[in-house]
Amino acid sequence: MNNGVVLAILSAFVFSAMNALIKAASLTIPSSEIVFFRSIIGTILVLYLMRHSKVAFSRNGISLLIVRGVLGALYLLAFVYTIAHIPLADAAILAYLSPFFVIILSRLVLGETLASRTKYLLPLVLLGMVLVVNPFNYSSFSIYALAGVASALFAAGASITIRHLSKKHHTYEIIFYFLATATIISAILMGDDFVIPKGVEWAYLIAIGVVSLLGQVFLTKAFTHENAAVVATTRYIGIVFNVLWGVLFWSEIPDWLTTVGGIIIISSCIALSLKKTLLTKDKYSQKQVVETDPQPTK
């Protein structure tokens, strides 16, 4: 097993641990407050990393950085809200709908073409989403599950902006705008609902901020060691970790609808990611044939 795959598995494990910590903290702390502490701790840590690495703030492209920050903040708020109210496995599966929405937004916003076979996989993802949300049973169909779907949509929107921002902005700067914006928005939403953390609650909140940044570091390094499609596919092991945390700490055993829906979503999204990667490679290969300079553009 190469380093890239190991790092991808580590990032999936660390992020699943963060989800479990969020679930534990949400029993007594409001969702917006959890997002506030997760964001402000991350902001401070990223500022330190920027200073240590001598990364300066850009003067151009600020508007898109803010858009990325708002989308990322909305994703985080919706995701934490979802984790706080539905089983951990369900929330994690819905969050993994993000690749599906990335493909949809790439087509609508960027005008990217879809492979003909890819179009047949999109309805399967929708079927899996319906099974997990379970609109047939009112007791399980709720605004919380829809918030999970919304979190995946916001995450996909943020990914689209990152695709452009990464060409001119340092990763630390992009992350800073995300966390700083999330800090401001969550602080406003807290209002009078702020709860002063006590004892183990402080440990949860601090751990969430530190662990989330650690997971981001593992994930970033994984992409530098391995093909993006391999990393994206390997990360789906995070579903297993989330299920285990749910079973161990909250006796959340997924029902058959969640299990079947999760399998459909995971397998379809993996196939979509691989097909999209192959299509990109084919276009790149064709481009190289007509270019006089054989060196790829970095």
Side-chain angles (χ1 to χ4, degrees):
M1 189 179 296
N2 61 42
N3 291 336
V5 173
V6 172
L7 288 167
I9 293 174
L10 280 174
S11 73
F13 176 79
V14 171
F15 279 125
S16 72
M18 180 195 72
N19 293 342
L21 288 167
I22 290 173
K23 183 79 172 178
S26 68
L27 297 177
T28 52
I29 303 293
S31 299
S32 56
E33 186 174 341
I34 293 174
V35 173
F36 172 78
F37 278 101
R38 182 253 194 258
S39 301
I40 196 169
I41 292 172
T43 301
I44 294 170
L45 292 175
V46 169
L47 277 174
Y48 168 77
L49 292 174
M50 290 181 70
R51 182 176 180 181
H52 182 266
S53 302
K54 298 180 180 179
V55 177
F57 285 103
S58 304
R59 295 184 178 180
N60 300 318
I62 305 301
S63 58
L64 190 58
L65 283 166
I66 293 175
V67 170
R68 184 273 181 266
V70 171
L71 289 172
L74 292 175
Y75 147 72
L76 195 55
L77 285 162
F79 184 55
V80 171
Y81 182 73
T82 304
I83 289 179
H85 294 91
I86 69 174
L88 201 55
D90 293 39
I93 291 171
L94 293 174
Y96 274 98
L97 283 168
S98 179
F100 163 74
F101 287 122
V102 166
I103 291 175
I104 298 297
L105 292 178
S106 295
R107 177 71 180 92
L108 297 176
V109 179
L110 304 179
E112 295 183 357
T113 57
L114 297 178
S116 57
R117 289 177 296 175
T118 299
K119 298 176 182 178
Y120 296 106
L121 289 170
L122 299 181
L124 285 176
V125 181
L126 290 175
L127 173 61
M129 180 175 65
V130 169
L131 292 176
V132 174
V133 173
N134 191 11
F136 313 109
N137 186 346
Y138 184 78
S139 63
S140 61
F141 171 65
S142 63
I143 191 67
Y144 310 127
L146 295 181
V149 176
S151 72
L153 178 59
F154 291 134
S159 297
I160 296 295
T161 62
I162 291 172
R163 194 182 294 182
H164 291 279
L165 289 169
S166 60
K167 299 175 183 178
K168 298 181 180 180
H169 300 273
H170 194 282
T171 300
Y172 289 159
E173 183 182 23
I174 298 173
I175 294 175
F176 169 81
Y177 271 89
F178 156 47
L179 294 174
T181 305
T183 300
I184 295 171
I185 294 177
S186 59
I188 295 173
L189 292 176
M190 277 194 300
D192 297 328
D193 295 330
F194 182 81
V195 175
I196 299 177
K198 300 177 182 178
V200 71
E201 295 170 346
W202 277 114
Y204 287 149
L205 295 172
I206 293 172
I208 289 168
V210 175
V211 167
S212 61
L213 189 60
L214 181 62
Q216 192 65 51
V217 171
F218 282 141
L219 182 59
T220 302
K221 289 185 177 296
F223 278 113
T224 63
H225 284 79
E226 184 54 82
N227 177 277
V230 174
V231 173
T233 303
T234 304
R235 288 187 65 209
Y236 278 93
I237 196 174
I239 295 289
V240 177
F241 295 140
N242 280 281
V243 171
L244 289 176
W245 297 131
V247 172
L248 286 173
F249 296 112
W250 296 282
S251 301
E252 297 175 345
I253 300 176
D255 59 20
W256 72 271
L257 282 175
T258 296
T259 302
V260 174
I263 291 172
I264 293 174
I265 290 173
I266 293 169
S267 57
S268 299
C269 285
I270 289 174
L272 285 170
S273 299
L274 292 176
K275 287 181 182 295
K276 195 172 190 306
T277 301
L278 290 174
L279 180 60
T280 303
K281 286 183 177 180
D282 288 342
K283 286 184 176 180
Y284 178 69
S285 297
Q286 293 171 5
K287 184 180 178 183
Q288 278 193 314
V289 172
V290 297
E291 285 181 341
T292 55
D293 185 359
Q295 295 298 321
T297 302
K298 299 286 185 177

